[in-house]
Amino acid sequence: MMDERTNDTVAAPSPIRLHKQLDAVWGTPGGWGRLAAVNHTIVGRRFIATAFVFFGIGGILAMLIRAQLATPRSAFLGPEIYNQIFTMHGTVMMFLFAIPMFEGFAMYLLPKLLGARDMAFPRLSAYGYWCYLFGGSMLLIAMAVGLAPNGGWFMYTPLSSKAYTPGINSDIWLIGITFVEISALSAAVEIIATILKTRAPGMSLDKMPLLAWYLLVTAFMMLFGFPPLILGSILLEVERAFDLPLFDPTRGGDALLWQHLFWLFGHPEVYIIFLPAAGMVSTILPVLARREIVGYSAIVISVVALAFLSFGLWVHHMFTVGIPHLALAFFSSASTAVAVPTAVQIFAWIGTLAAGRPQLKLPMLYLLGFFSVFVIGGLTGVMLAIVPFNWQVHDTHFVVAHLHYVLVGGFVFPMLAAAYYWLPHFTGRVPRHSLGVPAFWLIIIGFNVTFLVMHLTGLLGMPRRIHGYGAETGWEWPNLVSSVGSFVMAIGFALFTVDVLLHWLHGKRSARNPWRAGTLEWAIAVPPTNYAFASLPDVATRAPLQERPDLGNHLARGGGYLGFVRNGWLETLGVDVMSGRVEQIVRLPNQTMLPLFTALVTGVFFVAVLFKLYVVALLALPAIVAMLLAWTPVSGERRDRGALPIGNGAEAVLHSEARSPPSLWAMGLTLAADATAFASLAFGILFLWVVAPNWPPPSMIGWAPWGVALSAGGLVTGFIAGRIATLRGVVRSGRLREAALVIALLGQIVALFGIADVILAVPPPTQHAYAAATTIILIYAGLHAALAAVFAGFGIWRSRAGYVSQTRTVDLRIGALWSDFTAAIGIATLLIVYGLPLVMG
Ligand code: HEM
Ligand SMILES: [Cu+2]
């Protein structure tokens, strides 16, 4: 590689040469080469554009639903197709539009907002995008051939179980959504790592733009919200495919287990959708009101509080399933409590408007739409949190009306405001003559006509998810009005689309900061270059552009940090999490096809599982691991370089030599998600233990003393040896550290044999949910031991290939984190399998 010949010296070139040099390393080739792009601007745009296409598809499905419901006893769609269409509408809107739109928005904007050149893990963004595209396409193809999922977007068991949905439809949902959710988890990890570690120098946590706070909290919620859903999907797919009866009450399972796992995800999901939108509001509103936002700290606290509260609320979706009264009371009051942090934000917004000099520009118009709609949705939400009322309107169109006031009000309107606000940034153009105003009126009038009336339809008793109703019910007028309204709204969205396209083609060039905003994304050229900042700013306040309107020019001339290209590297800065002090130079990977290929192999795995080609699926797994290992050579260094200049007389070490590089954070975060999945599984086992009768059947607990001894011994050996390999004295001697890693590897192999022995002592998992759950949790532990072995092998390879030295220990520390975790969940598994029966009797 080029590294070895160069000597890391740098000189600041002229602005034009600087731009050319940066463009040469950060730019992406044309044609097919575009597929190799990993740059956040490009990948972010792809996410946003794809999500918008899915929004259009979801909207067309909504129109089909409304056409069907417009008249009584309509023969437009049969029941089977209707079920597929409303399921796909909900699924597309929640999983393929709202969440990916947030991911794309965060990826496009975050580095620019934070004064960085890219996300912390650009290849992960690209990989997540391809998984999203392929998984989403799977669902669409299924719909095109009439095999779309049909159990509703929350897929309740037993309706979605094999007995009631024998076809492939439910499998497509479970497998497709799990595939798509890889992108949510990877986005969560890298958004958090990016916000915490790769901000501009000086940007301490309390100087972060509010939007970054919102995105940080949202990403944390995804990190803890999605694992229960993914776990639940895997369990249900395992039941459908291999007849492991986790949700089957005749064999020790329980259908409600699915509801708990689903809503553990599903309720936070609503806030995962709302919070980024609220972040957009908190960003746009003060700029258009021409004053700083009121109550920065109060907003941060309320957003964090909202996130915590929302994880305790899932049961309010289950008030009618028969749960204890005390639980009803708790979850009911907790649900109304959510109104408090939401109100804090709303008062902050109103206060900002009142204290400022608001301008009624186009984004503001959409913000006003957001206010009015969202507040009504919030009020009906409080009504629904009250148990007796909930019993009255449960699963009627009242709920459909509420959820659309919240989702469309809380996400779609802010998103439209954001679209107009950031369009000049995306396209470098300002709108000429705006269709945005008539589009707004069509959308808001159409929306209210559709959904305000739907509250009435619900109170009149019309259930949701029915494909037809009789003429004598009294539901025909409100339904017809709703349907007409929805078509008015659709025309509004069409007009919005036309407006954006016209703007793209015919807008006039925009100045760099058309709104006179204070945040850093407006300090760069629009549309942005791939490297975003020619040099990185030093941040001293929350609105750097307010104090220094010429900051953009200063940075473009190379006056900030890293205003040069060193050795052809892609560089950005890494900081201390709290203080924002510079800690390291983060060297980012070049564009590569590897994420695309890895996603393709991942797709092979999911498609193979769908068509029950399990041998292919089993072969795909090691292939995926091998592909991921192929990502790693460029993320390490083969020699110590010491402190390198970063401009303005300052110096920093490379991330490979830093104490806390982003990759170590990423591993920690991944393990947090992993631990959540494990905890959900343990929760499921405890839940069945408590609710299912005769659980477990005593005859089923099979002792395997040898297996227990080998697995516990192997796991502990792996963990201790992995840790020893990272000790100072050991790292210094290549031979010692490799010996420790070999012992760690052997420990994990012994553990694998032990776990296999324990599994063999469990009765056939198809007999009873206890045997199924026990087998699954043991396999979970086994997979971790297998990966721990891979990490130990990886450490040996990296050590031999020269990637490890006394200062370059990241690879070993990442592996050690994994083996710590493996030992912890392995021991926990043994305790659950053998300890619980003793404790629970
Ligand atoms: C574009 C305007 C929209 C219209 C006219 C519309 C219409 C509808 C209708 C009529 C239903 C009830 C289906 C039934 O019960 O049979 C429904 C369900 C639903 N909608 Fe929408 N919708 C729209 C936008 C959205 C958006 C933007 C989202 C989310 C971000 C969304 C999420 C949902 C969900 C989750 C369901 C529940 C589906 C289920 O019960 O499985 N909708 N929609
Ligand atoms: Cu909820």
Side-chain angles (χ1 to χ4, degrees):
M1 282 180 77
M2 160 177 205
D3 303 4
E4 315 305 331
R5 285 183 281 108
T6 50
N7 55 7
D8 304 333
T9 52
V10 287
S14 77
I16 307 243
R17 280 199 49 209
L18 174 60
H19 168 75
K20 287 210 170 115
Q21 289 176 356
L22 283 167
D23 201 46
V25 293
W26 289 84
T28 306
W32 289 103
R34 287 289 274 185
L35 295 179
V38 295
N39 182 274
H40 75 283
T41 297
I42 298 173
V43 176
R45 279 198 188 132
R46 282 184 187 160
F47 259 109
I48 293 174
T50 312
F52 192 74
V53 169
F54 276 114
F55 179 62
I57 293 170
I60 291 171
L61 296 175
M63 296 300 103
L64 294 177
I65 297 175
R66 284 312 331 167
Q68 166 71 15
L69 295 181
T71 52
R73 292 220 179 76
S74 167
F76 177 53
L77 305 169
E80 171 54 31
I81 296 295
Y82 185 83
N83 288 348
Q84 293 193 14
I85 284 184
F86 83 72
T87 302
M88 282 296 285
H89 165 73
T91 303
V92 165
M93 288 299 195
M94 302 299 270
F95 293 103
L96 305 181
F97 156 64
I99 299 289
M101 185 62 98
F102 152 73
E103 289 161 14
F105 174 78
M107 273 170 203
Y108 177 87
L109 212 58
L110 257 182
K112 297 162 184 131
L113 200 63
L114 300 171
R117 281 187 175 139
D118 207 327
M119 300 291 282
F121 309 105
R123 293 176 298 185
L124 200 59
S125 326
Y127 175 66
Y129 173 74
W130 297 119
C131 287
Y132 160 50
L133 183 69
F134 299 156
S137 309
M138 227 165 118
L139 286 157
L140 287 190
I141 292 170
M143 187 164 68
V145 298
L147 288 174
N150 52 6
W153 83 282
F154 36 73
M155 289 286 292
Y156 278 173
T157 52
L159 181 62
S160 56
S161 303
K162 197 101 194 166
Y164 297 95
T165 313
I168 197 176
N169 311 51
S170 294
D171 303 308
I172 289 173
W173 192 96
L174 296 166
I175 291 165
I177 290 299
T178 303
F179 193 8
V180 170
E181 290 335 322
I182 293 177
S183 69
L185 278 185
S186 57
V189 168
E190 71 169 328
I191 287 171
I192 299 171
T194 300
I195 296 178
L196 293 182
K197 289 307 291 183
T198 59
R199 305 192 299 265
M203 190 187 275
S204 51
L205 277 188
D206 61 331
K207 294 203 188 77
M208 265 185 358
L210 263 182
L211 185 53
W213 272 109
Y214 278 96
L215 298 180
L216 179 66
V217 172
T218 310
F220 265 110
M221 293 186 70
M222 292 190 3
L223 197 69
F224 295 115
F226 278 99
L229 173 73
I230 293 175
L231 178 86
S233 303
I234 294 173
L235 294 186
L236 183 50
E237 180 55 28
V238 163
E239 169 169 315
R240 293 180 50 87
F242 305 113
D243 195 29
L244 304 197
L246 291 158
F247 305 98
D248 174 2
T250 63
R251 283 181 286 164
D254 194 302
L256 277 189
L257 175 58
W258 169 264
Q259 288 202 25
H260 280 292
L261 291 176
F262 184 87
W263 288 116
L264 256 162
F265 144 82
H267 184 79
E269 156 86 349
V270 179
Y271 294 86
I272 291 171
I273 292 177
F274 169 62
L275 282 181
M280 298 171 191
V281 176
S282 287
T283 306
I284 302 171
L285 193 93
V287 174
L288 294 186
R290 286 180 289 188
R291 71 149 289 158
E292 205 186 320
I293 189 129
V294 173
Y296 175 95
S297 319
I299 293 182
V300 171
I301 293 169
S302 74
V303 171
V304 174
L306 201 62
F308 272 100
L309 271 179
S310 74
F311 276 94
L313 295 187
W314 77 98
V315 174
H316 70 196
H317 296 268
M318 302 166 63
F319 282 158
T320 55
V321 302
I323 50 179
H325 271 97
L326 196 64
L328 280 185
F330 171 79
F331 286 106
S332 172
S333 43
S335 300
T336 35
V338 164
V340 176
T342 313
V344 169
Q345 290 175 63
I346 292 184
F347 287 130
W349 294 329
I350 294 176
T352 308
L353 280 180
R357 289 169 293 134
Q359 308 159 282
L360 195 63
K361 299 235 169 109
L362 198 48
M364 184 65 101
L365 193 59
Y366 283 91
L367 287 186
L368 295 177
F370 151 74
F371 269 128
S372 51
V373 173
F374 185 71
V375 167
I376 299 180
L379 292 179
T380 53
V382 173
M383 292 165 76
L384 285 169
I386 297 171
V387 175
F389 183 80
N390 186 296
W391 280 342
Q392 296 305 313
V393 297
H394 179 77
D395 261 349
T396 67
H397 271 233
F398 188 92
V399 174
V400 179
H402 156 72
L403 82 94
H404 285 87
Y405 266 85
V406 179
L407 288 171
V408 178
F411 190 77
V412 178
F413 277 101
M415 189 199 75
L416 294 172
Y420 280 112
Y421 179 77
W422 276 292
L423 258 182
H425 198 288
F426 275 83
T427 60
R429 294 169 187 274
V430 282
R432 188 161 278 168
H433 41 68
S434 182
L435 297 174
V437 177
F440 169 77
W441 287 110
L442 286 171
I443 292 173
I444 192 139
I445 292 173
F447 174 81
N448 280 296
V449 171
T450 309
F451 291 105
L452 201 59
V453 180
M454 212 180 274
H455 291 106
L456 176 69
T457 330
L459 288 173
L460 289 174
M462 176 162 161
R464 71 193 285 196
R465 298 181 167 183
I466 55 168
H467 79 284
Y469 51 89
E472 65 296 335
T473 50
W475 303 337
E476 13 358 336
W477 278 110
N479 269 305
L480 185 60
V481 174
S482 280
S483 294
V484 171
S486 73
F487 280 89
V488 174
M489 179 172 22
I491 296 169
F493 279 113
L495 213 55
F496 164 81
T497 313
V498 171
D499 191 32
V500 169
L501 289 179
L502 285 179
H503 159 113
W504 208 291
L505 299 173
H506 299 297
K508 63 177 194 310
R509 297 281 315 157
S510 164
R512 190 177 266 168
N513 185 359
W515 309 105
R516 294 176 198 286
T519 40
L520 284 171
E521 82 272 29
W522 297 106
I524 60 178
V526 290
T529 54
N530 284 321
Y531 50 85
F533 293 90
S535 64
L536 303 181
D538 212 327
V539 174
T541 65
R542 277 179 206 151
L545 278 180
Q546 224 99 65
E547 281 79 31
R548 283 195 66 178
D550 70 324
L551 183 62
N553 286 326
H554 171 72
L555 298 177
R557 283 196 304 269
Y561 295 108
L562 295 181
F564 48 76
V565 173
R566 168 179 18 231
N567 306 341
W569 292 352
L570 287 72
E571 294 180 340
T572 195
L573 288 176
V575 296
D576 172 65
V577 169
M578 298 292 290
S579 67
R581 249 182 310 103
V582 179
E583 233 176 28
Q584 52 189 295
I585 300 166
V586 179
R587 193 182 153 193
L588 297 169
N590 290 77
Q591 46 277 40
T592 157
M593 291 281 186
L594 274 173
L596 172 58
F597 293 150
T598 313
L600 281 172
V601 179
T602 314
V604 168
F605 170 77
F606 282 105
V607 172
V609 171
L610 180 63
F611 290 108
K612 308 209 179 321
L613 306 168
Y614 296 114
V615 177
V616 180
L618 277 180
L619 291 176
L621 281 181
I624 295 171
V625 174
M627 305 276 298
L628 289 173
L629 286 176
W631 295 27
T632 57
V634 304
S635 55
E637 294 287 328
R638 293 166 100 146
R639 64 180 163 102
D640 292 335
R641 292 173 190 269
L644 301 176
I646 59 171
N648 297 331
E651 292 191 326
V653 295
L654 274 177
H655 70 266
S656 46
E657 293 170 42
R659 279 214 21 256
S660 81
S663 49
L664 202 64
W665 280 81
M667 179 47 93
L669 294 165
T670 307
L671 292 179
D674 196 339
T676 313
F678 183 78
S680 310
L681 183 55
F683 162 82
I685 292 177
L686 264 180
F687 175 79
L688 291 178
W689 214 300
V690 174
V691 303
N694 187 28
W695 220 91
S699 63
M700 290 217 164
I701 301 161
W703 290 96
W706 272 108
V708 174
L710 288 180
S711 41
L715 289 170
V716 171
T717 310
F719 145 66
I720 294 177
R723 276 290 149 195
I724 289 179
T726 66
L727 293 179
R728 262 184 156 276
V730 177
V731 173
R732 197 175 310 137
S733 145
R735 195 167 303 149
L736 274 184
R737 73 177 175 240
E738 276 158 37
L741 289 168
V742 169
I743 294 175
L745 176 63
L746 291 176
Q748 301 297 351
I749 292 174
V750 170
L752 272 175
F753 277 103
I755 293 171
D757 188 52
V758 178
I759 292 179
L760 289 178
V762 179
T766 49
Q767 274 182 14
H768 192 274
Y770 170 78
T774 307
T775 309
I776 290 170
I777 200 168
L778 285 165
I779 291 179
Y780 196 105
L783 279 176
H784 280 75
L787 279 177
V790 173
F791 271 109
F794 173 71
I796 298 171
W797 164 50
R798 296 287 269 193
S799 179
R800 301 223 137 171
Y803 289 98
V804 178
S805 77
Q806 214 172 320
T807 42
R808 284 173 286 123
T809 55
V810 189
D811 292 331
L812 302 188
R813 285 187 287 150
I814 287 178
L817 266 185
W818 185 273
S819 60
D820 299 350
F821 181 79
T822 302
I825 67 153
I827 304 292
T829 299
L830 292 175
L831 285 176
I832 288 171
V833 173
Y834 292 113
L836 265 190
L838 299 179
V839 181
M840 311 274 292

